Amino acid sequence: MSTVPPSFPLPAEPSIPDEHVTSTPALDLFKLAAAEFIVAQIPEVSLDKAFEGVESGKTGKNVSGDFTVAIPRFRLKAKPNEVAEQLVAAFQPTAYLASIKANGAFVYINVQTTALYKLVLAQINTQTYLTPDESHSVVDAFEQLSLKDADLPPAGLSLLKKNGYGTNKSGDGKKIIVEFSSPNIAKPFHAGHLRSTIIGAFLANLYEANGYKVLRMNYLGDWGKQFGILAVGFERYGSEAELEKDAITHLYDVYVKINRDGESDESIHDRAREFFVKMEAGDEQAVGLWKKFRDLSIVKYKETYARLNIYFDLYSGESQVSGESQAKALEQLQGTGIVEESEGALVVDLKKYKLEKTVVRKKDGTSVYITRDIGGAVERYNKFHFDKMVYVVASQQDLHLAQFFKVLDLMGYPWAKTLQHVNFGMVQGMSTRKGTAVFLEQILDESKRVMHEVMQKNEAKYNAIEDPEYTSDKLGITAVKVQDMAGKRINNYEFKWERMTSFEGDTGPYLQYAHVRLSSVERKNAPEIVLPPPSDRATAIDVSLLQEPKAREILLLLSEYPNVVRSALKSLEPSTICTFAFRLCHAISSAWEVLLVRGQPREVALARLWLYVSAKDVLGSAMRLLTLEPLERM
């Protein structure tokens, strides 16, 4: 597969990007110019290899450049040092490339600053935002989907236009289902559920930014023995009045109490299993109680998701997988000869794949997770014909997901190879069963309170905020999300309040503060300086006046953003975007005293303001990709 941008002639002089240049990240145009120079001097190197070899963001000990080329990677017969000197000797400045240096086997290339400014800032200018109704295009991708149960994107949610800056079309025409969050019904939404929810929402945004059609699915844990446990507990401890008052909290209290009783009374588990058998048999009373618990829980979940700026296109669940699909799955499994009986249960032996044995039907005849998962996956493929399906599930379930995928593969489904498990570490120090879980709502409320107190310390700024309650809530949510996403997703971390609410170091509030300050610069200076319309800025603003190294540092970071988005799709790491956002904020933070806008000659102020407005747009894009809501004031 070719790694170079789509084939087209490089313009002699970079100016306002034309139609095909606009679709290619500006930095790639300069990389392509460097690759073409290398190929012209070393014909045995293909353009693809040369393009791969031109790396940005690398530095050497004694010399550095915008691009670094390690000559040894081309595996030439000539000595790398001699090839590097050959390239330096042959170099002539172009409209894209300014200078070249060699240091041993490495070549460092600098680009033409004004050309880079023109192309990058003009491309960022093409970025526009859509309203929720315009951006919600799942129906186009999954025509068979009924949206009667779907959430609409939260009010105020802005998504990048498909051809906006930082997006690409690598996934164009492909459909992907991202299953995430998936809490257990009748249990509280605690910090442990947060990881799947925000990582999954980020991945859905990321796939869309890379051109995919995405279906966001919440596959609820709404079936199983735990409902029998809850039913037995409700009979003993339940109160209809408390249920009406606060269903989730009351059901949680009941669940904890009955589990404690069950530690010394095995009959509770026997009765729970009996209740679940009744549920599977369609007993009217059992199903009625289950439905009440399910409905009350979903109402509460939707409130929490809206607060988190997260939505779903489809709410499904284990209960929605038809008995017919599960029966067909079992019949098909038995027909393959991979199922065996063990003490009355049916199992699949996957030991030769180093995946142990897995039960596909219990000895009492009731279904299990994997059987419902198999039936559900088959139903989804038959309905949506997806190109890929991603399960965002904790690393605790690594074995289960591996067994699930292998069984589907052994059943002969070719699409089983398109399934992917994106795992993550656990939030430690909490347990629902033991009653030590910290509710997510408690976390968000506490974070909001802390942020509100901090805001109140600056009376003047606080009085200028239109809705302090809303702002402090969004700040608190940002703090919680970024604390979680800033590290590698596979890492475990211990739940600590002080880590959730800290303003120190690379935190969510730090990102919001940078965006707010950029918004303030635009708000205070734009009316006086008057930025030209976006379509005219590339020709009306003299970017050559941006002479300061700090301006160039910011610009180079902005130029990297499209490639950062592509890189994040390879690793599926939110931390990739977080790290970029922090780097950009650090560069902006150190520029305020160097790149003044107010009180400068108009043309200089205009160029600097355009740079700051562009930085705000890109930072905002990165934050939205992370499911954050960029604030204008705080």
Side-chain angles (χ1 to χ4, degrees):
M1 182 177 178
S2 177
T3 56
V4 300
S7 177
F8 56 82
L10 283 165
E13 291 292 334
S15 56
I16 306 171
D18 62 20
E19 184 177 352
H20 47 253
V21 175
T22 301
S23 65
T24 303
L27 195 61
D28 282 359
L29 298 178
F30 290 86
K31 287 180 66 176
L32 179 59
E36 288 183 336
F37 164 68
I38 292 170
V39 171
Q41 304 307 315
I42 318 172
E44 58 265 45
V45 177
S46 69
L47 186 60
D48 268 319
K49 291 295 183 184
F51 187 81
E52 285 180 4
V54 178
E55 298 182 278
S56 59
K58 304 277 186 177
T59 58
K61 291 182 179 179
N62 304 313
V63 64
S64 63
D66 299 323
F67 298 138
T68 300
V69 182
I71 302 300
R73 71 180 296 161
F74 299 138
R75 303 189 178 188
L76 304 169
K77 292 180 180 179
K79 293 180 179 179
N81 292 30
E82 294 176 357
V83 174
E85 293 297 338
Q86 174 191 334
L87 289 173
V88 171
F91 180 80
Q92 293 292 328
T94 70
Y96 286 82
L97 308 178
S99 63
I100 185 172
K101 293 179 182 178
N103 185 24
F106 292 83
V107 169
Y108 300 91
I109 301 172
N110 284 307
V111 303
Q112 293 285 5
T113 300
T114 300
L116 185 67
Y117 279 175
K118 283 184 177 181
L119 283 171
V120 173
L121 296 180
Q123 283 193 357
I124 294 171
N125 249 37
T126 66
Q127 180 179 320
T128 56
Y129 299 99
L130 302 175
T131 66
D133 287 342
E134 292 170 324
S135 66
H136 195 73
S137 59
V138 175
V139 177
D140 299 333
F142 301 96
E143 293 81 1
Q144 301 175 31
L145 175 63
S146 167
L147 291 179
K148 64 181 181 180
D149 294 324
D151 295 340
L152 286 176
L157 177 64
S158 298
L159 299 179
L160 281 178
K161 193 176 180 180
K162 290 179 183 177
N163 63 347
Y165 189 70
T167 65
N168 64 74
K169 297 182 180 179
S170 59
D172 198 25
K174 296 179 181 177
K175 305 173 186 176
I176 185 167
I177 295 176
V178 180
E179 178 198 300
F180 62 103
S181 194
S182 305
N184 292 315
I185 289 296
K187 294 184 182 179
F189 199 139
H190 62 72
H193 296 123
L194 177 69
R195 302 216 72 188
S196 174
T197 304
I198 62 177
I199 292 171
F202 161 76
L203 292 178
N205 289 352
L206 182 65
Y207 277 109
E208 282 186 340
N210 283 276
Y212 288 79
K213 293 276 190 176
V214 180
L215 172 68
R216 295 163 168 82
M217 177 179 285
N218 197 339
Y219 184 68
L220 302 168
D222 63 353
W223 204 248
K225 180 194 165 189
Q226 76 267 22
F227 280 95
I229 293 283
L230 192 61
V232 174
F234 195 76
E235 182 181 333
R236 180 175 296 185
Y237 297 113
S239 161
E240 290 292 339
E242 290 298 315
L243 193 65
E244 289 294 325
K245 181 180 176 182
D246 188 346
I248 291 292
T249 301
H250 182 55
L251 290 175
Y252 172 69
D253 289 341
V254 167
Y255 187 79
V256 170
K257 288 176 181 177
I258 198 64
N259 268 289
R260 286 175 182 161
D261 293 349
E263 291 175 1
S264 57
D265 185 356
E266 185 58 33
S267 68
I268 287 174
H269 296 282
D270 294 335
R271 292 173 59 199
R273 282 188 282 270
E274 291 172 6
F275 186 88
F276 181 49
V277 170
K278 289 182 180 179
M279 285 171 57
E280 293 235 288
D283 179 85
E284 186 175 339
Q285 185 175 0
V287 171
L289 187 61
W290 160 81
K291 190 175 186 304
K292 178 189 290 187
F293 294 160
R294 183 183 192 274
D295 291 348
L296 288 169
S297 296
I298 288 177
V299 169
K300 186 63 177 179
Y301 287 144
K302 285 189 174 184
E303 292 176 6
T304 303
Y305 292 130
R307 186 176 179 186
L308 287 169
N309 192 39
I310 288 170
Y311 70 98
F312 293 90
D313 301 302
L314 182 64
Y315 282 90
S316 182
E318 294 178 77
S319 67
Q320 305 302 299
V321 180
S322 70
E324 182 182 356
S325 292
Q326 295 177 63
K328 282 184 178 178
L330 275 173
E331 183 181 343
Q332 190 175 346
L333 276 167
Q334 290 173 303
T336 62
I338 63 174
V339 175
E340 59 187 51
E341 188 171 331
S342 176
E343 298 180 3
L346 295 180
V347 302
V348 176
D349 189 348
L350 299 172
K351 286 184 178 178
K352 68 178 179 179
Y353 305 104
K354 298 181 180 180
L355 294 174
E356 304 302 324
K357 291 184 177 181
T358 180
V359 177
V360 293
R361 191 183 68 190
K362 293 181 179 180
K363 62 182 180 181
D364 63 5
T366 57
S367 61
V368 291
Y369 288 126
I370 195 167
T371 315
R372 293 192 289 271
D373 284 345
I374 291 168
V378 173
E379 285 183 355
R380 291 181 200 178
Y381 187 79
N382 290 339
K383 186 174 185 179
F384 300 122
H385 300 287
F386 53 79
D387 296 287
K388 186 180 181 70
M389 182 156 60
V390 173
Y391 295 81
V392 186
V393 184
S395 56
Q396 281 184 327
Q397 299 297 321
D398 283 355
L399 177 60
H400 170 75
L401 270 294
Q403 290 174 333
F404 166 41
F405 294 169
K406 175 51 70 175
V407 170
L408 281 171
D409 185 36
L410 293 174
M411 291 173 73
Y413 291 112
W415 49 264
K417 298 188 185 301
T418 72
L419 308 183
Q420 182 176 5
H421 175 204
V422 177
N423 60 4
F424 53 87
M426 300 300 294
V427 182
Q428 297 172 331
M430 295 181 300
S431 168
T432 303
R433 188 165 296 179
K434 294 179 181 178
T436 58
V438 180
F439 289 14
L440 180 61
E441 193 169 15
Q442 292 175 321
I443 297 170
L444 299 183
D445 287 345
E446 175 65 10
S447 298
K448 175 183 176 180
R449 184 191 64 76
V450 171
M451 298 307 164
H452 201 179
E453 287 181 357
V454 173
M455 288 164 51
Q456 288 175 314
K457 291 179 181 178
N458 189 321
E459 188 175 349
K461 288 185 178 180
Y462 182 81
N463 291 335
I465 298 172
E466 186 175 335
D467 189 344
E469 289 290 327
Y470 171 87
T471 301
S472 58
D473 192 41
K474 296 308 172 189
L475 263 177
I477 290 170
T478 301
V480 170
K481 287 183 176 180
V482 171
Q483 186 271 339
D484 194 289
M485 290 191 284
K488 297 293 184 182
R489 56 179 164 76
I490 197 60
N491 293 342
N492 297 332
Y493 72 88
E494 187 175 355
F495 176 79
K496 291 183 178 179
W497 283 109
E498 57 269 25
R499 291 179 65 184
M500 290 289 187
T501 57
S502 174
F503 273 83
E504 300 300 319
D506 289 342
T507 63
Y510 178 66
L511 293 182
Q512 289 285 14
Y513 178 74
H515 189 272
V516 164
R517 192 159 183 186
L518 287 166
S519 301
S520 176
V521 168
E522 181 180 16
R523 187 167 57 247
K524 292 176 179 178
N525 291 283
E528 181 182 327
I529 297 173
V530 187
L531 275 172
S535 58
D536 298 336
R537 288 176 189 172
T539 53
I541 299 176
D542 185 359
V543 293
S544 68
L545 295 172
L546 294 169
Q547 297 287 331
E548 297 78 10
K550 185 55 65 176
R552 198 174 193 279
E553 178 188 347
I554 293 172
L555 198 283
L556 281 169
L557 278 169
L558 299 180
S559 74
E560 290 178 12
Y561 182 59
N563 289 333
V564 170
V565 174
R566 289 189 295 198
S567 176
L569 189 65
K570 294 178 183 178
S571 65
L572 301 180
E573 288 283 0
S575 61
T576 301
I577 304 299
C578 282
T579 299
F580 168 82
F582 287 132
R583 288 175 61 208
L584 181 57
C585 289
H586 293 320
I588 293 166
S589 176
S590 61
W592 296 123
E593 302 303 320
V594 181
L595 299 175
L596 297 171
V597 176
R598 188 171 294 277
Q600 304 303 301
R602 186 180 184 280
E603 292 304 314
V604 173
L606 196 57
R608 291 177 178 177
L609 181 58
W610 191 21
L611 179 64
Y612 281 135
V613 169
S614 299
K616 187 198 81 166
D617 287 345
V618 173
L619 177 58
S621 298
M623 292 174 71
R624 290 182 180 89
L625 199 55
L626 293 165
T627 76
L628 308 176
E629 296 179 71
L631 296 171
E632 300 288 324
R633 297 175 185 269
M634 60 180 271

